Coordinates of all heavy atoms in Angstrom, one line a residue:
M153 N -157.9 -143.7 -86.0 CA -157.5 -144.8 -85.3 C -157.3 -144.5 -83.8 O -156.6 -143.6 -83.4 CB -156.2 -145.3 -85.9 CG -155.6 -146.6 -85.3 SD -154.0 -147.0 -85.9 CE -154.5 -148.2 -87.1
S154 N -157.9 -145.4 -83.0 CA -157.7 -145.2 -81.5 C -156.5 -145.8 -81.0 O -155.9 -146.7 -81.6 CB -158.9 -145.8 -80.8 OG -158.9 -147.2 -81.0
K155 N -155.9 -145.2 -80.0 CA -154.7 -145.6 -79.4 C -154.9 -146.9 -78.6 O -155.8 -147.0 -77.9 CB -154.0 -144.5 -78.5 CG -152.7 -144.8 -77.9 CD -152.2 -143.6 -77.2 CE -150.8 -144.0 -76.8 NZ -150.2 -143.7 -75.7
N156 N -153.9 -147.8 -78.7 CA -154.0 -149.1 -77.9 C -154.0 -148.7 -76.4 O -152.9 -148.1 -75.9 CB -152.8 -150.0 -78.3 CG -152.9 -151.4 -77.6 OD1 -153.4 -151.4 -76.5 ND2 -152.3 -152.3 -78.2
P157 N -155.0 -149.1 -75.6 CA -154.9 -148.6 -74.2 C -153.7 -149.3 -73.4 O -153.5 -148.8 -72.4 CB -156.3 -149.2 -73.7 CG -156.7 -150.3 -74.6 CD -156.1 -149.9 -76.0
W158 N -153.1 -150.4 -73.9 CA -152.0 -151.0 -73.2 C -150.7 -150.4 -73.7 O -149.7 -150.8 -73.1 CB -152.1 -152.5 -73.5 CG -153.3 -153.2 -72.8 CD1 -153.5 -153.3 -71.4 CD2 -154.5 -153.5 -73.4 NE1 -154.8 -153.9 -71.3 CE2 -155.4 -154.0 -72.4 CE3 -154.9 -153.5 -74.7 CZ2 -156.7 -154.5 -72.7 CZ3 -156.1 -154.0 -75.1 CH2 -157.0 -154.5 -74.1
G159 N -150.7 -149.5 -74.6 CA -149.5 -149.0 -75.0 C -148.8 -149.8 -76.2 O -149.3 -150.8 -76.6
T160 N -147.8 -149.2 -76.7 CA -147.0 -150.0 -77.8 C -146.3 -151.1 -77.2 O -146.0 -151.2 -75.9 CB -146.0 -149.0 -78.4 OG1 -145.0 -148.6 -77.5 CG2 -146.7 -147.7 -79.0
V161 N -145.8 -152.0 -78.0 CA -145.0 -153.2 -77.6 C -143.7 -152.6 -76.9 O -143.4 -153.1 -75.8 CB -144.5 -154.0 -78.8 CG1 -143.6 -155.0 -78.4 CG2 -145.8 -154.6 -79.4
A162 N -143.1 -151.6 -77.4 CA -141.9 -151.0 -76.8 C -142.2 -150.5 -75.4 O -141.5 -150.7 -74.5 CB -141.3 -149.9 -77.6
E163 N -143.4 -149.8 -75.2 CA -143.7 -149.3 -73.9 C -144.0 -150.4 -72.9 O -143.6 -150.3 -71.7 CB -144.9 -148.4 -74.1 CG -144.7 -147.0 -74.8 CD -146.0 -146.4 -75.2 OE1 -147.1 -147.0 -75.2 OE2 -145.9 -145.2 -75.4
R164 N -144.6 -151.5 -73.5 CA -144.9 -152.6 -72.5 C -143.6 -153.3 -72.1 O -143.5 -153.7 -70.9 CB -145.8 -153.5 -73.2 CG -147.3 -152.8 -73.5 CD -148.3 -153.7 -73.9 NE -148.7 -154.7 -73.0 CZ -149.4 -155.8 -73.2 NH1 -149.9 -155.9 -74.4 NH2 -149.9 -156.5 -72.3
L165 N -142.7 -153.5 -73.1 CA -141.4 -154.1 -72.7 C -140.6 -153.3 -71.7 O -139.9 -153.8 -70.8 CB -140.6 -154.3 -74.0 CG -141.0 -155.4 -75.0 CD1 -140.2 -155.5 -76.2 CD2 -141.1 -156.7 -74.3
D166 N -140.7 -152.0 -71.8 CA -140.0 -151.2 -70.8 C -140.5 -151.3 -69.4 O -139.9 -150.9 -68.5 CB -140.2 -149.6 -71.2 CG -139.3 -149.2 -72.4 OD1 -138.3 -150.0 -72.7 OD2 -139.5 -148.2 -73.0
R167 N -141.7 -151.9 -69.2 CA -142.2 -152.1 -67.9 C -141.6 -153.3 -67.2 O -141.8 -153.6 -66.0 CB -143.7 -152.2 -67.9 CG -144.3 -150.8 -68.4 CD -145.9 -150.9 -68.2 NE -146.4 -149.8 -68.9 CZ -147.2 -149.9 -70.0 NH1 -147.6 -151.0 -70.4 NH2 -147.7 -148.8 -70.7
N168 N -141.0 -154.2 -68.0 CA -140.4 -155.4 -67.4 C -139.2 -155.0 -66.4 O -138.6 -153.9 -66.6 CB -139.7 -156.3 -68.5 CG -140.9 -156.9 -69.2 OD1 -142.0 -157.2 -68.7 ND2 -140.6 -157.2 -70.5
R169 N -138.9 -155.8 -65.5 CA -137.8 -155.6 -64.6 C -136.8 -156.8 -64.9 O -137.2 -157.9 -65.3 CB -138.1 -155.5 -63.3 CG -138.9 -154.2 -62.8 CD -139.1 -154.1 -61.4 NE -138.0 -154.4 -60.5 CZ -137.9 -155.3 -59.6 NH1 -139.0 -156.2 -59.5 NH2 -136.9 -155.5 -58.9
Y170 N -135.6 -156.7 -64.6 CA -134.7 -157.8 -64.8 C -133.8 -158.0 -63.5 O -133.4 -157.0 -62.9 CB -133.7 -157.5 -66.0 CG -134.4 -157.3 -67.3 CD1 -135.0 -156.2 -67.7 CD2 -134.5 -158.4 -68.1 CE1 -135.7 -156.1 -68.8 CE2 -135.2 -158.4 -69.3 CZ -135.8 -157.2 -69.6 OH -136.4 -157.1 -70.8
E171 N -133.5 -159.1 -63.2 CA -132.6 -159.5 -62.2 C -131.4 -160.1 -62.9 O -131.4 -161.3 -63.3 CB -133.2 -160.5 -61.2 CG -132.4 -160.8 -59.9 CD -132.4 -159.4 -59.0 OE1 -133.5 -158.9 -58.9 OE2 -131.3 -159.1 -58.5
T172 N -130.5 -159.3 -63.2 CA -129.4 -159.7 -64.1 C -128.3 -160.5 -63.4 O -127.7 -160.2 -62.3 CB -128.7 -158.5 -64.7 OG1 -129.7 -157.7 -65.4 CG2 -127.6 -158.9 -65.7
D173 N -128.0 -161.6 -64.1 CA -126.8 -162.4 -63.6 C -125.6 -161.8 -64.1 O -125.3 -161.9 -65.4 CB -126.9 -163.9 -64.0 CG -125.9 -164.9 -63.5 OD1 -124.9 -164.4 -63.0 OD2 -126.1 -166.1 -63.5
T174 N -124.8 -161.1 -63.3 CA -123.7 -160.4 -63.8 C -122.4 -161.3 -64.0 O -121.3 -160.8 -64.4 CB -123.3 -159.2 -62.9 OG1 -123.1 -159.7 -61.6 CG2 -124.4 -158.2 -62.8
E175 N -122.5 -162.5 -63.5 CA -121.4 -163.5 -63.6 C -121.4 -164.4 -64.7 O -120.4 -165.0 -65.1 CB -121.2 -164.1 -62.3 CG -121.0 -163.3 -61.0 CD -121.0 -164.1 -59.8 OE1 -121.1 -165.2 -59.8 OE2 -120.9 -163.4 -58.7
Q176 N -122.7 -164.8 -65.2 CA -122.7 -165.8 -66.1 C -123.8 -165.5 -67.2 O -125.0 -165.2 -66.8 CB -123.0 -167.1 -65.4 CG -123.2 -168.4 -66.3 CD -123.3 -169.5 -65.4 OE1 -122.6 -169.8 -64.5 NE2 -124.4 -170.3 -65.7
S177 N -123.6 -165.6 -68.4 CA -124.7 -165.4 -69.4 C -125.2 -166.7 -69.7 O -124.7 -167.9 -69.7 CB -123.9 -165.1 -70.8 OG -124.8 -165.1 -71.8
H178 N -126.6 -166.7 -69.9 CA -127.4 -168.0 -70.1 C -127.4 -168.3 -71.6 O -128.1 -169.2 -72.0 CB -128.7 -167.9 -69.5 CG -129.6 -166.9 -70.1 ND1 -129.5 -165.5 -69.8 CD2 -130.7 -167.0 -71.0 CE1 -130.4 -164.8 -70.6 NE2 -131.2 -165.7 -71.2
I179 N -126.8 -167.4 -72.5 CA -126.7 -167.6 -73.9 C -125.3 -167.6 -74.3 O -124.6 -166.6 -74.2 CB -127.5 -166.5 -74.5 CG1 -129.0 -166.4 -74.0 CG2 -127.5 -166.7 -76.1 CD1 -129.7 -165.1 -74.6
L180 N -124.9 -168.7 -75.1 CA -123.6 -168.7 -75.6 C -123.7 -168.9 -77.1 O -124.5 -169.7 -77.5 CB -122.8 -169.8 -74.9 CG -122.5 -169.7 -73.5 CD1 -121.7 -170.9 -72.9 CD2 -121.7 -168.4 -73.1
V181 N -122.9 -168.3 -77.9 CA -122.9 -168.4 -79.3 C -121.7 -169.2 -79.8 O -120.5 -168.7 -79.4 CB -123.0 -167.0 -80.0 CG1 -122.9 -167.2 -81.5 CG2 -124.3 -166.4 -79.6
N182 N -121.8 -170.2 -80.5 CA -120.7 -170.8 -81.1 C -120.3 -170.0 -82.3 O -121.0 -170.0 -83.4 CB -121.0 -172.2 -81.6 CG -119.8 -173.0 -82.2 OD1 -119.0 -172.4 -82.9 ND2 -119.8 -174.3 -82.0
Q183 N -119.3 -169.0 -82.2 CA -119.2 -168.1 -83.3 C -118.8 -168.7 -84.6 O -119.1 -168.3 -85.6 CB -118.0 -167.0 -82.8 CG -118.4 -166.3 -81.6 CD -119.6 -165.3 -81.9 OE1 -119.9 -164.9 -83.0 NE2 -120.0 -164.6 -80.8
A184 N -118.0 -169.8 -84.6 CA -117.5 -170.5 -85.7 C -118.7 -171.1 -86.5 O -118.8 -170.9 -87.8 CB -116.4 -171.5 -85.5
E185 N -119.5 -171.7 -85.7 CA -120.7 -172.4 -86.3 C -121.7 -171.3 -86.8 O -122.2 -171.4 -87.9 CB -121.4 -173.3 -85.4 CG -122.4 -174.1 -85.9 CD -122.0 -175.1 -87.1 OE1 -120.7 -175.4 -87.1 OE2 -122.7 -175.5 -87.8
A186 N -121.8 -170.2 -86.1 CA -122.7 -169.2 -86.5 C -122.2 -168.5 -87.8 O -123.0 -168.3 -88.7 CB -122.8 -168.1 -85.4
E187 N -120.9 -168.3 -88.0 CA -120.4 -167.8 -89.2 C -120.6 -168.7 -90.4 O -121.0 -168.3 -91.4 CB -118.9 -167.4 -89.0 CG -118.3 -166.8 -90.3 CD -116.9 -166.4 -90.0 OE1 -116.3 -166.5 -89.0 OE2 -116.2 -166.2 -91.1
R188 N -120.3 -170.0 -90.1 CA -120.5 -171.1 -91.1 C -121.9 -171.1 -91.6 O -122.2 -171.3 -92.8 CB -120.0 -172.4 -90.6 CG -120.0 -173.5 -91.7 CD -119.9 -174.9 -91.2 NE -121.2 -175.2 -90.5 CZ -122.3 -175.5 -91.1 NH1 -122.4 -175.4 -92.4 NH2 -123.4 -175.8 -90.4
A189 N -122.9 -171.0 -90.7 CA -124.3 -171.1 -91.0 C -124.8 -169.7 -91.4 O -126.1 -169.6 -91.9 CB -125.1 -171.5 -89.8
G190 N -124.1 -168.7 -91.3 CA -124.6 -167.3 -91.7 C -125.8 -166.9 -90.8 O -126.7 -166.3 -91.3
A191 N -125.7 -167.3 -89.5 CA -126.8 -167.0 -88.6 C -127.0 -165.6 -88.0 O -128.0 -165.3 -87.5 CB -126.7 -167.9 -87.4
G192 N -125.9 -164.7 -88.3 CA -126.0 -163.5 -87.7 C -127.2 -162.6 -88.1 O -128.0 -162.1 -87.2
P193 N -127.5 -162.5 -89.4 CA -128.7 -161.7 -89.7 C -130.0 -162.2 -89.2 O -130.9 -161.4 -88.7 CB -128.7 -161.7 -91.3 CG -127.3 -162.0 -91.6 CD -126.7 -162.9 -90.5
L194 N -130.2 -163.5 -89.2 CA -131.4 -164.1 -88.7 C -131.6 -163.8 -87.2 O -132.6 -163.4 -86.8 CB -131.3 -165.7 -88.7 CG -132.4 -166.5 -88.0 CD1 -133.7 -166.3 -88.8 CD2 -132.0 -167.9 -88.0
L195 N -130.5 -164.1 -86.4 CA -130.7 -163.7 -84.9 C -131.0 -162.3 -84.6 O -131.7 -162.0 -83.8 CB -129.4 -164.2 -84.2 CG -129.2 -165.8 -84.2 CD1 -127.8 -166.1 -83.6 CD2 -130.3 -166.4 -83.3
A196 N -130.2 -161.4 -85.5 CA -130.4 -159.9 -85.2 C -131.9 -159.6 -85.5 O -132.5 -158.6 -84.9 CB -129.5 -159.2 -86.0
R197 N -132.5 -160.3 -86.5 CA -133.8 -159.9 -86.9 C -134.9 -160.5 -86.0 O -136.0 -159.8 -85.9 CB -134.0 -160.4 -88.4 CG -135.3 -159.8 -89.0 CD -135.3 -160.2 -90.5 NE -135.5 -161.6 -90.7 CZ -134.5 -162.4 -91.3 NH1 -133.3 -161.9 -91.7 NH2 -134.7 -163.7 -91.4
I198 N -134.8 -161.7 -85.6 CA -135.9 -162.4 -84.9 C -136.1 -162.1 -83.5 O -137.2 -162.3 -82.8 CB -135.9 -163.9 -85.0 CG1 -134.6 -164.5 -84.4 CG2 -135.9 -164.3 -86.5 CD1 -134.6 -166.0 -84.3
C199 N -135.0 -161.7 -82.7 CA -135.2 -161.6 -81.2 C -135.9 -160.2 -81.0 O -135.6 -159.1 -81.4 CB -133.8 -161.4 -80.7 SG -133.8 -161.0 -78.9
P200 N -137.0 -160.4 -80.3 CA -137.9 -159.2 -79.9 C -137.2 -158.2 -79.0 O -137.6 -157.0 -78.9 CB -139.1 -159.8 -79.3 CG -138.7 -161.1 -78.7 CD -137.6 -161.6 -79.7
A201 N -136.2 -158.6 -78.2 CA -135.5 -157.8 -77.3 C -134.1 -157.3 -77.9 O -133.5 -156.5 -77.2 CB -135.2 -158.6 -76.0
R202 N -133.9 -157.6 -79.1 CA -132.7 -157.1 -79.8 C -131.4 -157.5 -79.0 O -130.4 -156.7 -78.8 CB -132.7 -155.6 -80.1 CG -133.9 -155.2 -80.9 CD -133.7 -153.9 -81.5 NE -134.9 -153.3 -82.1 CZ -135.4 -153.7 -83.3 NH1 -134.8 -154.6 -83.9 NH2 -136.4 -153.2 -83.7
V203 N -131.5 -158.7 -78.5 CA -130.3 -159.3 -77.8 C -129.1 -159.4 -78.7 O -127.9 -159.2 -78.3 CB -130.7 -160.6 -77.1 CG1 -129.4 -161.4 -76.6 CG2 -131.7 -160.3 -75.9
Y204 N -129.3 -159.8 -79.9 CA -128.3 -160.3 -80.8 C -127.9 -158.9 -81.8 O -128.8 -158.3 -82.3 CB -128.5 -161.4 -81.6 CG -128.9 -162.6 -80.8 CD1 -130.2 -163.0 -80.7 CD2 -127.9 -163.4 -80.2 CE1 -130.5 -164.1 -79.8 CE2 -128.1 -164.5 -79.4 CZ -129.4 -164.8 -79.3 OH -129.7 -166.0 -78.5
S205 N -126.6 -158.9 -82.1 CA -126.2 -157.9 -83.0 C -125.0 -158.3 -83.8 O -124.3 -159.2 -83.3 CB -125.9 -156.5 -82.3 OG -124.8 -156.7 -81.3
E206 N -124.9 -157.9 -85.0 CA -123.8 -158.2 -85.8 C -122.7 -157.3 -85.6 O -122.8 -156.0 -85.8 CB -124.2 -158.2 -87.3 CG -125.2 -159.3 -87.6 CD -125.6 -159.4 -89.1 OE1 -124.7 -160.0 -89.8 OE2 -126.6 -158.7 -89.5
Q207 N -121.5 -157.8 -85.1 CA -120.4 -156.9 -84.8 C -119.5 -156.6 -86.0 O -119.6 -157.4 -86.9 CB -119.5 -157.6 -83.7 CG -120.3 -157.9 -82.4 CD -120.8 -156.7 -81.7 OE1 -120.0 -155.9 -81.1 NE2 -122.1 -156.6 -81.7
A208 N -118.8 -155.6 -85.9 CA -117.9 -155.2 -87.1 C -116.8 -156.3 -87.4 O -116.5 -156.6 -88.5 CB -117.1 -153.9 -86.8
N209 N -116.4 -157.1 -86.3 CA -115.4 -158.2 -86.6 C -116.1 -159.5 -87.1 O -115.5 -160.4 -87.2 CB -114.7 -158.4 -85.4 CG -115.6 -159.0 -84.2 OD1 -116.7 -159.2 -84.4 ND2 -115.0 -159.2 -83.0
G210 N -117.5 -159.4 -87.4 CA -118.1 -160.5 -88.0 C -118.7 -161.4 -86.9 O -119.5 -162.3 -87.2
E211 N -118.4 -161.2 -85.6 CA -119.0 -162.0 -84.6 C -120.4 -161.5 -84.2 O -120.8 -160.4 -84.6 CB -118.1 -162.0 -83.3 CG -116.8 -162.8 -83.5 CD -116.1 -163.0 -82.3 OE1 -116.4 -162.5 -81.2 OE2 -115.1 -163.9 -82.3
I212 N -121.1 -162.3 -83.5 CA -122.5 -162.0 -83.0 C -122.3 -161.6 -81.6 O -121.9 -162.3 -80.7 CB -123.5 -163.2 -83.2 CG1 -123.6 -163.6 -84.6 CG2 -124.8 -162.9 -82.6 CD1 -124.3 -164.9 -84.8
G213 N -122.8 -160.4 -81.4 CA -122.8 -159.8 -80.0 C -124.1 -160.3 -79.2 O -125.1 -160.4 -80.0
V214 N -124.0 -160.5 -77.9 CA -125.1 -161.0 -77.1 C -125.3 -160.1 -75.9 O -124.5 -160.2 -75.0 CB -124.8 -162.4 -76.7 CG1 -126.0 -163.0 -75.9 CG2 -124.5 -163.4 -77.9
L215 N -126.4 -159.4 -75.9 CA -126.7 -158.6 -74.7 C -127.8 -159.3 -73.9 O -128.9 -159.0 -73.9 CB -127.3 -157.3 -75.2 CG -127.7 -156.2 -74.2 CD1 -126.3 -155.7 -73.5 CD2 -128.3 -155.0 -74.9
Y216 N -127.2 -160.4 -73.3 CA -128.1 -161.5 -72.6 C -129.0 -160.8 -71.6 O -130.1 -161.4 -71.2 CB -127.2 -162.6 -72.0 CG -126.5 -162.3 -70.9 CD1 -126.9 -162.4 -69.6 CD2 -125.1 -161.8 -71.0 CE1 -126.1 -162.1 -68.5 CE2 -124.4 -161.5 -69.9 CZ -124.8 -161.6 -68.6 OH -124.1 -161.3 -67.6
A217 N -128.6 -159.8 -70.9 CA -129.3 -159.2 -69.8 C -130.8 -158.7 -70.2 O -131.7 -158.6 -69.5 CB -128.5 -158.0 -69.2
A218 N -130.9 -158.5 -71.6 CA -132.2 -158.0 -72.0 C -133.1 -159.1 -72.5 O -134.2 -158.8 -72.9 CB -131.9 -157.1 -73.2
C219 N -132.7 -160.4 -72.4 CA -133.4 -161.5 -73.0 C -134.8 -161.6 -72.2 O -135.0 -161.5 -71.0 CB -132.6 -162.8 -72.7 SG -133.5 -164.3 -73.1
L220 N -135.8 -161.8 -72.9 CA -137.2 -162.0 -72.5 C -137.5 -163.5 -72.2 O -138.6 -163.8 -71.9 CB -138.2 -161.5 -73.5 CG -138.1 -160.0 -73.8 CD1 -138.9 -159.6 -75.0 CD2 -138.4 -159.2 -72.6
E221 N -136.6 -164.4 -72.5 CA -136.8 -165.9 -72.3 C -137.9 -166.5 -73.1 O -138.7 -167.2 -72.6 CB -136.9 -166.1 -70.8 CG -135.7 -165.6 -70.0 CD -135.9 -165.7 -68.4 OE1 -136.7 -166.6 -68.0 OE2 -135.3 -164.9 -67.8
C222 N -138.1 -165.9 -74.3 CA -139.2 -166.5 -75.1 C -138.9 -167.7 -75.9 O -139.7 -168.4 -76.3 CB -139.7 -165.3 -76.1 SG -138.4 -164.9 -77.4
G223 N -137.6 -168.0 -76.1 CA -137.1 -169.1 -76.8 C -137.1 -169.1 -78.3 O -136.8 -170.0 -78.9
T224 N -137.5 -168.0 -78.9 CA -137.6 -167.9 -80.3 C -136.2 -168.2 -81.0 O -136.1 -168.8 -82.0 CB -138.0 -166.4 -80.8 OG1 -139.3 -166.2 -80.1 CG2 -138.2 -166.3 -82.3
C225 N -135.1 -167.7 -80.4 CA -133.8 -167.7 -81.0 C -133.4 -169.2 -81.0 O -132.8 -169.7 -81.9 CB -132.8 -167.0 -80.3 SG -132.7 -167.2 -78.6
L226 N -133.8 -170.0 -80.0 CA -133.4 -171.3 -79.7 C -134.1 -172.2 -80.9 O -133.6 -173.2 -81.4 CB -133.7 -171.8 -78.4 CG -133.2 -173.2 -78.0 CD1 -131.6 -173.3 -78.1 CD2 -133.6 -173.6 -76.6
A227 N -135.4 -171.8 -81.1 CA -136.2 -172.6 -82.0 C -135.7 -172.3 -83.6 O -135.7 -173.2 -84.4 CB -137.6 -172.2 -81.9
A228 N -135.2 -171.1 -83.7 CA -134.9 -170.7 -85.1 C -133.5 -170.8 -85.5 O -133.2 -170.9 -86.7 CB -135.3 -169.2 -85.3
A229 N -132.5 -170.9 -84.6 CA -131.1 -170.9 -84.9 C -130.8 -172.2 -85.5 O -131.3 -173.4 -85.1 CB -130.3 -170.6 -83.6
P230 N -129.9 -172.3 -86.5 CA -129.3 -173.5 -87.0 C -128.7 -174.3 -85.9 O -128.2 -173.8 -84.9 CB -128.4 -173.0 -88.1 CG -128.7 -171.7 -88.5 CD -129.3 -171.1 -87.2
P231 N -128.8 -175.7 -86.1 CA -128.2 -176.5 -85.1 C -126.7 -176.2 -84.8 O -126.0 -175.9 -85.7 CB -128.3 -178.0 -85.7 CG -129.4 -177.8 -86.6 CD -129.4 -176.4 -87.2
G232 N -126.4 -176.2 -83.4 CA -125.0 -176.0 -83.1 C -124.6 -174.5 -82.9 O -123.5 -174.3 -82.4
V233 N -125.5 -173.6 -83.2 CA -125.1 -172.2 -83.2 C -125.2 -171.7 -81.7 O -124.5 -170.9 -81.2 CB -125.9 -171.3 -84.1 CG1 -125.8 -169.9 -83.9 CG2 -125.6 -171.7 -85.5
L234 N -126.3 -172.1 -81.1 CA -126.7 -171.5 -79.7 C -126.6 -172.6 -78.6 O -127.0 -173.7 -78.7 CB -128.0 -170.8 -79.6 CG -128.2 -169.6 -80.4 CD1 -129.7 -169.1 -80.2 CD2 -127.2 -168.6 -80.0
S235 N -126.2 -172.2 -77.5 CA -126.3 -172.9 -76.3 C -127.1 -171.9 -75.4 O -126.7 -170.9 -75.0 CB -125.0 -173.2 -75.6 OG -125.1 -173.7 -74.3
W236 N -128.4 -172.4 -75.0 CA -129.3 -171.4 -74.3 C -129.9 -172.2 -73.2 O -130.3 -173.4 -73.3 CB -130.3 -171.1 -75.3 CG -131.3 -170.0 -74.9 CD1 -131.2 -168.7 -75.2 CD2 -132.4 -170.1 -74.0 NE1 -132.2 -167.9 -74.7 CE2 -133.0 -168.8 -73.8 CE3 -133.0 -171.1 -73.2 CZ2 -134.1 -168.5 -73.1 CZ3 -134.1 -170.8 -72.4 CH2 -134.6 -169.5 -72.3
S237 N -130.0 -171.6 -72.0 CA -130.7 -172.2 -70.9 C -131.3 -171.0 -70.2 O -131.0 -169.9 -70.4 CB -129.7 -172.9 -69.9 OG -128.8 -172.0 -69.4
Y238 N -132.3 -171.3 -69.3 CA -132.9 -170.2 -68.5 C -131.7 -169.7 -67.5 O -130.9 -170.5 -67.1 CB -134.0 -170.8 -67.7 CG -135.2 -171.0 -68.5 CD1 -135.7 -172.2 -68.9 CD2 -136.0 -169.9 -69.0 CE1 -136.8 -172.4 -69.6 CE2 -137.1 -170.1 -69.8 CZ -137.5 -171.5 -70.1 OH -138.6 -171.5 -70.8
P239 N -131.9 -168.4 -67.2 CA -130.9 -167.9 -66.2 C -131.0 -168.7 -65.0 O -132.0 -169.3 -64.6 CB -131.4 -166.5 -66.0 CG -132.2 -166.1 -67.2 CD -132.8 -167.4 -67.7
R240 N -129.8 -168.6 -64.2 CA -129.8 -169.3 -62.9 C -131.0 -168.9 -62.0 O -131.5 -167.7 -62.1 CB -128.5 -169.1 -62.3 CG -127.4 -169.6 -63.1 CD -126.1 -169.6 -62.3 NE -125.5 -168.1 -62.1 CZ -124.6 -167.9 -61.4 NH1 -123.8 -168.9 -60.8 NH2 -124.2 -166.6 -61.3
G241 N -131.3 -169.6 -61.1 CA -132.5 -169.5 -60.2 C -132.8 -168.1 -59.8 O -131.9 -167.5 -59.1
G242 N -133.9 -167.6 -60.0 CA -134.4 -166.3 -59.5 C -133.9 -165.1 -60.3 O -134.4 -164.0 -60.2
M243 N -133.1 -165.4 -61.4 CA -132.6 -164.3 -62.2 C -133.3 -164.3 -63.6 O -134.0 -165.2 -63.9 CB -131.1 -164.4 -62.3 CG -130.4 -164.2 -61.0 SD -128.6 -163.9 -61.1 CE -128.1 -165.4 -60.3
G244 N -133.1 -163.2 -64.2 CA -133.7 -163.0 -65.6 C -134.8 -162.0 -65.5 O -134.9 -161.1 -64.6
V245 N -135.8 -162.2 -66.6 CA -136.7 -161.2 -66.7 C -137.9 -161.5 -65.7 O -138.1 -162.6 -65.2 CB -137.4 -161.3 -68.1 CG1 -138.1 -162.6 -68.3 CG2 -138.3 -160.1 -68.3
I246 N -138.4 -160.3 -65.2 CA -139.5 -160.3 -64.3 C -140.6 -159.6 -64.9 O -140.6 -158.4 -65.0 CB -139.1 -159.7 -62.9 CG1 -137.9 -160.4 -62.2 CG2 -140.3 -159.7 -61.9 CD1 -137.2 -159.6 -61.2
Y247 N -141.7 -160.3 -65.4 CA -142.7 -159.7 -66.1 C -143.7 -159.0 -65.2 O -144.0 -159.4 -64.1 CB -143.5 -160.8 -66.9 CG -142.7 -161.4 -68.0 CD1 -142.3 -162.7 -68.0 CD2 -142.5 -160.6 -69.2 CE1 -141.6 -163.2 -69.0 CE2 -141.8 -161.1 -70.2 CZ -141.3 -162.4 -70.0 OH -140.6 -162.9 -71.2
R248 N -144.1 -157.8 -65.6 CA -145.1 -157.1 -64.8 C -146.4 -157.1 -65.4 O -147.4 -156.7 -64.9 CB -144.6 -155.6 -64.7 CG -143.3 -155.4 -63.9 CD -143.0 -154.1 -63.7 NE -142.3 -153.7 -62.4 CZ -141.8 -152.6 -62.1 NH1 -142.0 -151.6 -62.8 NH2 -141.2 -152.5 -60.9
E249 N -146.5 -157.6 -66.7 CA -147.8 -157.5 -67.4 C -148.0 -158.9 -68.0 O -148.3 -158.9 -69.2 CB -147.8 -156.5 -68.4 CG -147.8 -155.1 -67.8 CD -148.3 -154.1 -68.7 OE1 -149.1 -154.3 -69.6 OE2 -148.0 -152.9 -68.5
G250 N -147.9 -160.0 -67.4 CA -148.3 -161.3 -67.9 C -147.3 -161.9 -68.7 O -146.3 -161.3 -69.1
Ligands
SF4_123 S1 -135.0 -166.2 -75.9 FE1 -136.2 -164.6 -77.0 S2 -135.6 -162.6 -76.1 FE2 -134.1 -164.1 -75.4 S3 -132.5 -163.9 -76.8 FE3 -133.8 -165.6 -77.6 S4 -135.3 -164.6 -78.9 FE4 -134.3 -162.9 -77.8

C-alpha cells in the first residue's frame, strides 16, 4: 500500500494555525440540557478536533481553541445543548491546506 502523499489526517490537521480568542469561547454547552439528553458521548465521538470531552464530574469539557469550525457538532447535537457561533472577527482556525 502506498503512502498518502498529503499525509495522514492528523498530520494535515497539525498544519493548521489558530488565532485563539482568549477572552471568549464561541462554543457554550448547556450542561443541564446536555446531561438530560445524554449528549456527552455523541459530542466526544463526532468532533474531528476532539474539542469535547466527558469530564469526571459528568460535565462536557470544551477545548474551543482547537475547533475547526466545521459545524458538525451543531448539526448533530440535540436541540438546546449547544450555543455555537463563529469566533469573533479574524480569530479561529487558519487553514493552510484548503
Ligand atoms: S465545529 Fe467541528 S471542530 Fe468545531 S467543535 Fe464542532 S465538530 Fe468540533
Side-chain angles (χ1 to χ4, degrees):
M153 177 187 264
S154 64
K155 185 174 182 216
N156 184 332
W158 294 285
T160 65
V161 171
E163 287 169 342
R164 296 182 73 187
L165 288 175
D166 280 347
R167 293 185 195 120
N168 292 329
R169 290 183 48 239
Y170 296 85
E171 193 68 45
T172 301
D173 185 344
T174 58
E175 297 177 3
Q176 181 176 308
S177 173
H178 67 287
I179 304 170
L180 297 175
V181 176
N182 180 330
Q183 298 288 351
E185 190 60 24
E187 183 177 350
R188 190 196 66 71
L194 170 73
L195 291 172
R197 190 174 66 247
I198 63 166
C199 175
R202 303 195 190 288
V203 165
Y204 301 100
S205 59
E206 295 183 85
Q207 305 293 294
N209 65 2
E211 293 195 344
I212 299 173
V214 182
L215 188 62
Y216 70 92
C219 178
L220 298 167
E221 302 170 27
C222 68
T224 303
C225 58
L226 190 58
V233 169
L234 290 182
S235 173
W236 192 102
S237 61
Y238 285 105
R240 295 190 291 177
M243 292 191 249
V245 67
I246 300 166
Y247 291 106
R248 289 184 155 179
E249 294 200 22

